[in-house]
Amino acid sequence: FGPFVDAKHEQVENCQLLGAFADVFKLCLKTIVEGTRSAGSQLVLVPSLRDAHHDFVFPQPPFPCPELPKDDRTRVHLVPEPCTLDVD
C-alpha cells in the first residue's frame, strides 16, 4: 500500500528531492521488485491519495508502469483504489 512518494514527507513538502516525483517512484518500485524477485513473492501495489506522483482522485486508477520488466509482469499486480482482491 502507498504512499510510495508521500506528499506529506518533509523532503517532498520542502522541495528537497533531487528528481521528479515520477522518477523517485520508479526507483522505489525498481528496488521493491528486484528485492523480492528471488523470493517469488506476488506483489500488489495499491495507490494512496497521498502519492505525490499519482492522480489524487477517488477512485484512483492503478499505477501506470510500462517500464516493468516482462518477467515480473505476472507477479506484480497494479490495482486501483478501491479494489477487491481475491486471494486463492
Side-chain angles (χ1 to χ4, degrees), residues 34-61:
E34 289 179 359
T36 59
R37 190 175 288 141
S38 64
S41 302
Q42 295 285 316
L43 301 178
V44 179
L45 300 176
V46 183
S48 166
L49 290 174
R50 286 179 34 183
D51 277 310
H53 69 286
H54 192 56
D55 297 330
F56 48 93
V57 296
F58 194 80
Q60 282 184 290

Side-chain angles (χ1 to χ4, degrees), residues 62-82:
F63 293 123
C65 196
E67 303 87 12
L68 192 64
K70 286 184 179 182
D71 294 342
D72 293 315
R73 291 185 184 169
T74 58
R75 70 179 196 90
V76 178
H77 309 279
L78 306 169
V79 299
E81 168 66 41

